[in-house]
Amino acid sequence: MLRADFFERFGMLVVKEFLDDETCRRLRRAVRTAVPTRAAVWNKEIGKIVDEDARRTTRAKVTKRIESFVERRLLALRPRVARHFGVTLRGVQTPQFLVYGPGDFFECHSDSNPDPNAPRYLQERCVTAVLFLNGSRRRRGGEASTGGGLTFPGLIEEPRLKSRGFPVQAEAGTLIAFRSELAHGVTPVSCGERYTVVGWYV
Ligand SMILES: O=C(O)CCC(=O)C(=O)O
């Protein structure tokens, strides 16, 4: 795994300590007590479906209060995100709270789809923000998970490295933002639970 800063050289925005440890702990608790649902994917032929060959992830239905709290924090970052990516952003879609248990993963995909037949929420996505609520290594007693790397394949043009995925090693509270069309996935979690929040700037 590579430290989050490494990804800045590919134009990504990395914000360390976007949330403090106590807030991450509070959000993890909120996620654990929320109603769990199986996260879906969008399929061109079928529409929105749960397809566990492509994605095995739990989406936690947290309270509106928790959802709005994270949404406000993401909105506060919007001017910096817009400047960084050189785009105009008018808002952020409702963030999704995700949990990956052992064996859970998300195949390589992109978050936006320019196809005029795709749902509007996919057409509109411009920048994806992934917020890590726990880390991939133990730090100050935080609950860490292993495996479950947010991975970006094809970052390096060199033929030998082109097909290789580069997984991020992030700490709790770190946010990483990238253009929504960029291919990414989450490798299977091997141990513990991995908690993230994903938001999309439009
Ligand atoms: O949980 C993550 O790290 C990424 C989730 C993701 O790729 C997505 O929701 O599109």
Side-chain angles (χ1 to χ4, degrees):
M1 288 222 191
L2 296 156
R3 293 173 67 89
D5 330 20
F6 170 81
F7 295 84
E8 286 174 337
R9 70 182 74 175
F10 301 102
M12 298 185 204
L13 171 67
V14 176
V15 185
K16 288 191 175 164
E17 297 176 21
F18 177 74
L19 295 179
D20 61 32
D21 284 353
E22 180 47 37
T23 307
C24 288
R25 211 174 354 258
R26 192 162 61 81
L27 292 178
R28 289 198 303 267
R29 205 176 318 124
V31 166
R32 276 197 295 267
T33 54
V35 176
T37 61
R38 298 312 288 168
V41 291
W42 186 75
N43 176 292
K44 201 168 164 205
E45 273 80 42
I46 308 169
K48 214 169 176 183
I49 52 155
V50 172
D51 173 2
E52 296 211 336
D53 289 330
R55 182 182 199 185
R56 229 180 82 181
T57 312
T58 297
R59 182 171 164 194
K61 293 275 185 191
V62 297
T63 60
K64 272 266 162 266
R65 200 172 59 85
I66 295 286
E67 211 171 76
S68 315
F69 167 77
V70 173
E71 199 169 317
R72 278 198 306 276
R73 294 296 305 262
L74 291 173
L75 279 174
L77 193 70
R78 179 176 56 144
R80 183 167 165 197
V81 175
R83 250 192 337 272
H84 183 91
F85 291 96
V87 292
T88 305
L89 299 170
R90 56 183 164 76
V92 68
Q93 294 176 349
T94 307
Q96 296 187 3
F97 292 71
L98 305 173
V99 189
Y100 301 74
D104 287 358
F105 66 95
F106 194 171
E107 288 250 290
C108 186
H109 63 283
S110 53
D111 290 347
S112 60
N113 190 333
D115 183 343
N117 296 316
R120 209 176 159 145
Y121 69 88
L122 291 179
Q123 291 183 49
E124 288 182 343
R125 288 176 177 171
C126 182
V127 175
T128 297
V130 176
L131 174 52
F132 293 83
L133 298 185
N134 65 340
S136 42
R137 62 192 167 136
R138 226 161 263 288
R139 173 177 167 256
R140 276 187 267 148
E143 306 158 35
S145 61
T146 55
L150 172 63
T151 302
F152 297 91
L155 282 182
I156 296 182
E157 278 301 314
E158 216 226 291
R160 240 174 357 109
L161 297 173
K162 214 178 154 106
S163 60
R164 216 180 115 186
F166 291 91
V168 182
Q169 178 180 50
E171 290 175 353
T174 295
L175 176 145
I176 179 159
F178 50 91
R179 287 195 176 264
S180 295
E181 67 264 24
L182 187 69
H184 62 282
V186 178
T187 58
V189 167
S190 41
C191 187
E193 282 188 319
R194 174 185 189 272
Y195 299 88
T196 50
V197 184
V198 187
W200 297 273
Y201 291 95
V202 294

